[in-house]
Amino acid sequence: MVDLSLLQDFLAETVEYLEEMKESLLRLEADPVNRTILDDIFRSVHTIKGAAEYLGIERISELSRTIEDLLYHQLHRSKVNVTPEVIDLLSAGRERISQLTENLTQTQKEQVEIDDLVERIRVVDTTSHISAEVDRVAANEDDVELSPATADQMPSLGDDEVEETDEELFTIFLEQMEEHLTDLQTQIVVLNDLDKDEQITTLDLCLSRIEPLRASANYMGYNQLTAFYDNWKKDIKTARERLCADEDGVIAPFISNCMEANITTLGNRFPRLQISEAPAQVNIDTSATTETKERTRVDEVPDILSNPAAGDDNTDQSRDILEEYADAETSPDTSTTAVSSKDNGSDAGLFEQLSWSFDSRIKQNAAKTTDDNLTEIESELFSAATPEKAKPETIATVADIPGVDEKKTAAPESIIQPVTDDFEEENDVELFTIFKEQLEEELSHLQAQVKAFKESDNETRIEILNSCRERVDRLCSSANYMGYSQLTASYEAWLNEIATAQIRLDMREETFIPAFIRECMQARITATAKSFLGITVPVPDQDYSDPVPDTESDAAEIPVADAIADTETTSGLKSDSATEKSDSTSQTEERQLSISDPSMLPDFIAETREHLEEMEENLLLLDANSGKRETLDDVFRSIHTIKGAAEYLGVERIARLTHNLENLLYQLRQNKLTVSREITALLMAGWDRISMLTRDLEQTQTEQAEIDDLLERILIIDDSSQADPATTATAALKSENETLLQGTDRRNPNQDPRRQGDQVNEKTIKQSIRVDAGKIDALMNQVGELVVSRAGFTQLLNEMRDLQIDLKQRFKLDTREIRHLNNMTARLHEATTLFDKVTNELQEEVMKVRMLPISQLFNRYPRLVFDLVRDTGKKVQLDIHGAETELDKMVIEEISDPLIHIIRNAVDHGIETTAERLKKGKPETGNIRLKAYHEGNHVVIEIIDDGRGLDFNSIKKKALAGKFVSQKELEQMSQHELTGLIMKPGFSTADSVTHISGRGVGMDVVRKNLEKLNGTIEIDTTPGVAMRFRIKIPLTLAIIPALRVKVSSELFTIPLSTVEETLRVPIDKISTIEGAEVMSFRESTLPLVRMSDLFNLQDGSVDLEQSFIVVVSTGMKRMGLVVDDLLGQEEVVIKPLADYIQEKSGFSGATILGDGRISLILDVYELINLSIKRNIKK
Amino acid sequence: MEEPYPIQEMDHEDDDGSMQLVGFVIDNELFGVNILMVQEIIREMPFTPIPNSPDFIEGVINLRGNIIPVIDLRRRLNTTSTESPVENIWIIILNINNRVAGFIVDSVTKVLKVPTENIKPPPDIVVSGLQSQYITGVCRVDERLLILLDFNRILLVDEIKKLRGLNDETLINKHDSAT
């Protein structure tokens, strides 16, 4: 059920994001190319989606998901401007979400329909894919129509960045070419008018011009350009021969057909190259570049076709070109390894496109070339482009590389994500389950066949490959049926690879087999399996019973590394060293960047924390109610949500860990395992590890904590429970998982109207806003200033009264004369009172804003106790009272550590073992009570345990041994004072240091932290029976009530929380013991400190007969401060002093008085220490 | 809190390669500080002394609601001269790595513009009785030697803390001899 309180937050948040989105949309309209704006919108939508999904708000989540998809596609096509249509749709979507939000606020139901809009968005989304393709194709090749095949291609052909080959080099190359071509052009112009001999010389000259061009083309690695030049040269030579042979009418057609055509071709091509390749360096869209190159090369076909002389080797050439194409594709692909993983499957598509454009080219050319030529050439070309002849060859070259590339699919951050996204979209669970089952089955078979493939001979291999092909084909068609276009494309590429392999086998090639198995078959199987989480396929050469996908991913990672090495060598061969260098950097970058969108990390971390918190509670509950179904479900859900988000963002370890934990939980839910201590401990360990990883992420943006040990442990338990074959279990998990989640997703209000109605009656939604904590702090500061000025007003009023009395007495003014003044004073008094009241209320309200229930803190401790008890023979029950008590957020943070120490001590030292307790006649289970309540301006936290209490004998012994006190002092000490000893740094009663406690640091930390808070601690103990810690802390840190005192001419402020009493003592009551002044106070001796001595100030006391004494206490120690005058009590605003002044100075800060003067606030604890030090020195 | 001694950038230069300084005088010696560090310059105002603090910490002042420590530069730098303090003192409020502190000086000069190349590294020998560790450089202005002070070093927190510890000891010792 939707949690109402969460719903409120959600609504508030959503409204916020919608607002942001609205702004972004407006900006986007003005600036459709700005990707940052798109990113902003994407982020807003994504957050809404996440929250809506989490809460099970169906329509909003579906709608936002659709929008997100649309945005995703928009985002990943940098070249395409956002069309007004898309912006309209986004606005409409935003509007609809906003309506739904309103519905929710008013009726807790989603009422507005969304299907129409979702439909519209999907249509636009798909068409925009196509139109994107159109745009791209059109940009590269103006005169070619769109191939329908492109629509099936990947939505994103990669916007990754790749350094193009040396630009400078290229420029030089172009310059050279320009020069030579111009030269050639001039030669040609004159060629016709010359006589034969001259013509031959000119042709020779032309040849000599073309030769360097060819050389530099060769140098640049443009093989096919080189070939072109070669042909050209050949043509010229032929022409020259024919000229020499005195053939007539040679030169005219030669000029127009060969020379001019060739030059134009080059001229046409290279300006385009310059245009299309140069942007590629900026825009760095590899795939586009690849395509551009392809196109350029394709362009050549007609050029060559238009050259009749070259017509003879048309077939050869086109085959060459196809090979070139393969090369061309190879080199950018290898140079961008990671990029091409996104291109997964596009190879096939590209090829198709290519042959298609061949086709269209030829058709256009048909207009120019002779009719008879056309059919022949076309058919030849077709045959070149169809699998029969040329394709196998071409693909043979291509195949190695795609084979390598596909493995990248195994890298978790690339294709898998979009694929899974697709799957989550799937509504028909049944269909999906069937699909998955089939997939799993086929994959397992494939895996088995791969294994067989390795060991069999060539003949059988071909057979095996055939059957593999069949299977993949089947998978392909079902993926197609399901509409998973990416998957289909990937399968198609796979099919091609298999086909190639078959051909190579036919040709008795054997060397490629290991690589083929590893890089193509296995990688693909793993990748596919991995993209469907929960599908497991046995991994060859590994334990068959090992069902866990992360071993698979390990297996997949190794080939990735290999692949990178491979591709590096290939690219090293094909490109010059500069390219190679940039390639390898781009690769490493790609690999390091495992987190897909760092900007989403903070959200992820915050969300994960929330889920973890929830999970912790449930885990403890799980332990207590030994695995109640609902609790298990809750834990499951938390884990699953974290997993989903982690996978989405590519936070690998968390994803893997949660995935395994999820498996474990599934076993529990299936009753294949029962909840035992061991398992809860394991789950908690998992919890810890996730928290650790989350922290790592927060601090370093990377995951640092290792998880393998934990995975191992989970596996062992998991394995032991596996009665069924692993595959079915996990498959079932997946479907079960789906249903469960569907169940949560479908918490449609309409399905459960009764319950919903009840809730509406129970509680109307409260409005809440989320405010930056800094703003509240600023507000608090301002209120602080107000408090200061209030003091100023009060002082003003007092002065006014003094003046009034003065006037009355000194100038003997009568009542009538002074009436005006009296009036004035009265009004001032009234105003001050009102001001006072308002200020008080304001202060209170602002303070309330900062208040949080202490349950935030208390909720952490059950887990702590659970952990502490686990390894001991103890049973401990933690009772919590008053968790609703509110406290300043800052105080809560500060008090956390001290409480942990006290509770640890209670468990470790206080509570006895079960056996011991029974012997003593105590109940078996020890009890620790955590209690919080308000007491005036303070909050009291009590920690009471019924353990053995303090052992005073032991304390005495330790105190002597540790030289904390002398024997003599010890004898004089009261029980109270003895208790105080445990707060000393380094003091510990534990005989041995355990992993939990015993180093004597704990209580010291407690004391220090409390000092910081102006809090006090009291310890009561009944040896053998109980122990009580009583912590008293002010509600807030910023404003405290305090006592103002005067010493010499200075004013000091003492926090009232530390003041026990103020006394006025006749001087003769003060006696001196060993040079230190003391007085008798309530039947004990109270040490006295003269503040003027302590601070080296002049003794300013007026009354020599009596002294003012402020009795201060830190809970454990008490002391009398001798001051010159008491000035009264006041609320003061604490202002910090510069750290170098404040530390160990005896002051905890300063405050500004009503008249603008500064008064230092005493740090009573430090003061007591200081005076003790002085006394010791004396 | 305990930052390592921050390296002082060789200061924010103007485009024309010169640096603007606020000059001030202590015991007739001319000192300078980069104008970008100066938050404001105020006339003397009442201090609240901090008991048991090092003697160069004059106390704290209330600067429009903020409590700011004031350091007596003369004492902090241990200048050898024994001239009696000037009547009308000034306090330069500096922002040193986000720590705001006031420094007492005898008088403040106008803003000086000094070409960066004129600023020379501090001589190893002690300049007018103050240790060269507090100096970032010296330069000549109107026939006078201007000493650029390294306020990062002057407000080195660890050192101040240590000094206070020393102070504490001496104080106790004083106390001993008194009793």
Side-chain angles (χ1 to χ4, degrees), chain A residues 851-859 880-887 892 930-934 939:
Chain A
M851 294 294 184
L852 287 174
I854 203 168
S855 60
Q856 271 216 337
L857 194 61
F858 280 6
N859 287 346
I880 293 176
H881 300 278
E884 71 287 345
T885 312
E886 289 194 330
L887 202 57
I892 287 188
L930 211 54
K931 210 166 136 188
Y933 55 89
H934 283 286
V939 167

Side-chain angles (χ1 to χ4, degrees), chain A residues 854-924:
Chain A
I854 203 168
S855 60
Q856 271 216 337
L857 194 61
F858 280 6
N859 287 346
R860 297 180 202 166
Y861 299 130
R863 168 71 198 279
L864 176 73
V865 172
F866 175 89
D867 278 353
L868 290 174
V869 167
R870 201 174 57 217
D871 304 329
T872 61
K874 296 177 182 180
K875 280 190 182 168
V876 180
Q877 166 79 35
L878 182 73
D879 286 339
I880 293 176
H881 300 278
E884 71 287 345
T885 312
E886 289 194 330
L887 202 57
D888 193 305
K889 188 172 179 286
M890 251 163 75
V891 181
I892 287 188
E893 276 156 19
E894 291 290 330
I895 197 82
S896 169
D897 279 355
L899 284 182
I900 287 177
H901 283 293
I902 294 172
I903 292 172
R904 267 187 183 175
N905 278 342
V907 174
D908 204 34
H909 304 312
I911 306 282
E912 310 91 335
T913 58
T914 317
E916 209 176 313
R917 286 183 72 90
L918 287 173
K919 221 189 285 170
K920 282 187 184 171
K922 288 184 180 178
E924 190 188 17

Side-chain angles (χ1 to χ4, degrees), chain A residues 40 129 149 194 198 269 357 442 517 541 578 584 599 646 824 842 991 1063 1072 1079:
Chain A
D40 284 347
H129 286 199
L194 296 169
E198 276 170 324
R269 174 144 31 94
S357 44
E442 297 287 6
I517 292 175
D541 302 330
S584 45
S599 67
M824 192 74 173
L842 188 63
D991 289 321
L1063 307 167
T1072 311
M1079 66 170 280

Side-chain angles (χ1 to χ4, degrees), chain A residues 649-666:
Chain A
L649 279 176
V651 184
E652 198 209 341
R653 290 191 193 161
I654 293 185
R656 263 165 66 197
L657 184 56
T658 43
H659 177 70
N660 281 291
L661 287 172
E662 201 183 72
N663 275 344
L664 184 64
L665 283 165
Y666 174 74

Side-chain angles (χ1 to χ4, degrees), chain A residues 54-121:
Chain A
Y54 175 62
L55 283 173
I57 300 166
E58 206 186 45
R59 291 189 198 165
I60 292 185
S61 69
E62 192 187 339
L63 184 56
S64 48
R65 194 165 48 218
T66 323
I67 299 175
E68 195 187 323
D69 283 345
L70 176 68
L71 283 168
Y72 182 82
H73 296 143
Q74 295 288 336
L75 267 175
H76 286 79
R77 268 200 322 267
S78 52
K79 280 189 162 179
V80 178
N81 290 0
V82 180
T83 58
E85 193 188 5
V86 171
I87 298 180
D88 278 354
L89 270 180
L90 290 175
S91 304
R94 195 203 73 88
E95 196 59 34
R96 201 62 64 87
I97 295 176
S98 152
Q99 279 169 11
L100 285 167
T101 319
E102 223 153 87
N103 285 168
L104 279 173
T105 321
Q106 284 156 3
T107 64
Q108 283 82 54
K109 275 182 216 162
E110 295 176 292
Q111 296 180 323
V112 184
E113 289 298 328
I114 56 162
D115 296 342
D116 56 320
L117 195 61
V118 169
E119 197 50 41
R120 266 175 65 203
I121 294 175

Side-chain angles (χ1 to χ4, degrees), chain A residues 71-255:
Chain A
L71 283 168
Y72 182 82
H73 296 143
Q74 295 288 336
L75 267 175
H76 286 79
R77 268 200 322 267
S78 52
K79 280 189 162 179
V80 178
N81 290 0
V82 180
T83 58
E85 193 188 5
V86 171
I87 298 180
D88 278 354
L89 270 180
L90 290 175
S91 304
R94 195 203 73 88
E95 196 59 34
R96 201 62 64 87
I97 295 176
S98 152
Q99 279 169 11
L100 285 167
T101 319
E102 223 153 87
N103 285 168
L104 279 173
T105 321
Q106 284 156 3
T107 64
Q108 283 82 54
K109 275 182 216 162
E110 295 176 292
Q111 296 180 323
V112 184
E113 289 298 328
I114 56 162
D115 296 342
D116 56 320
L117 195 61
V118 169
E119 197 50 41
R120 266 175 65 203
I121 294 175
R122 290 218 172 115
V123 169
V124 171
D125 203 7
T126 356
T127 48
S128 74
H129 286 199
I130 298 165
S131 67
E133 295 294 333
V134 179
D135 290 351
R136 219 185 27 235
V137 173
N140 291 316
E141 212 176 332
D142 307 334
D143 44 2
V144 173
E145 286 165 13
L146 167 74
S147 152
T150 48
D152 277 339
Q153 284 190 18
M154 299 271 304
S156 59
L157 277 167
D159 45 4
D160 304 60
E161 302 191 352
V162 162
E163 296 290 347
E164 239 315 302
T165 33
D166 198 335
E167 192 178 357
E168 209 181 328
L169 201 65
F170 187 64
T171 326
I172 294 171
F173 171 67
L174 281 182
E175 270 167 22
Q176 186 214 18
M177 204 158 120
E178 209 172 42
E179 196 188 312
H180 284 276
L181 285 181
T182 333
D183 214 345
L184 277 172
Q185 192 83 47
T186 39
Q187 301 291 346
I188 293 164
V189 172
V190 290
L191 191 60
N192 220 2
D193 308 330
L194 296 169
D195 65 49
K196 215 172 73 182
D197 282 347
E198 276 170 324
Q199 274 175 347
I200 293 173
T201 344
T202 319
L203 281 181
D204 282 339
L205 199 69
C206 287
L207 272 177
S208 68
R209 289 269 175 247
I210 293 168
E211 182 48 42
L213 281 179
R214 196 199 83 91
S216 49
N218 191 30
Y219 173 70
M220 293 294 282
Y222 299 149
N223 297 352
Q224 150 274 334
L225 186 62
T226 321
F228 176 75
Y229 283 131
D230 278 338
N231 271 322
W232 193 355
K233 269 167 67 186
K234 210 161 101 196
D235 292 343
I236 296 173
K237 274 181 197 150
T238 327
R240 191 173 166 272
E241 267 161 35
R242 286 167 79 180
L243 268 179
C244 291
D246 274 339
E247 273 185 55
D248 276 335
V250 172
I251 212 75
F254 171 73
I255 288 171

Side-chain angles (χ1 to χ4, degrees), chain A residues 690-718:
Chain A
I690 300 170
S691 326
M692 250 154 88
L693 287 167
T694 318
R695 205 174 43 233
D696 285 350
L697 278 177
E698 189 175 44
Q699 284 161 0
T700 64
Q701 272 80 52
T702 50
E703 298 175 288
Q704 311 213 307
E706 288 298 327
I707 56 165
D708 294 339
D709 55 318
L710 206 58
L711 291 180
E712 195 81 2
R713 278 171 64 197
I714 297 172
L715 271 187
I716 291 165
I717 293 191
D718 221 12

Side-chain angles (χ1 to χ4, degrees), chain A residues 1048-1064:
Chain A
S1048 185
S1049 57
E1050 297 299 321
L1051 299 175
F1052 292 99
T1053 306
I1054 307 172
L1056 215 53
S1057 58
T1058 57
V1059 176
E1060 282 199 349
E1061 216 166 322
T1062 50
L1063 307 167
R1064 198 167 186 187

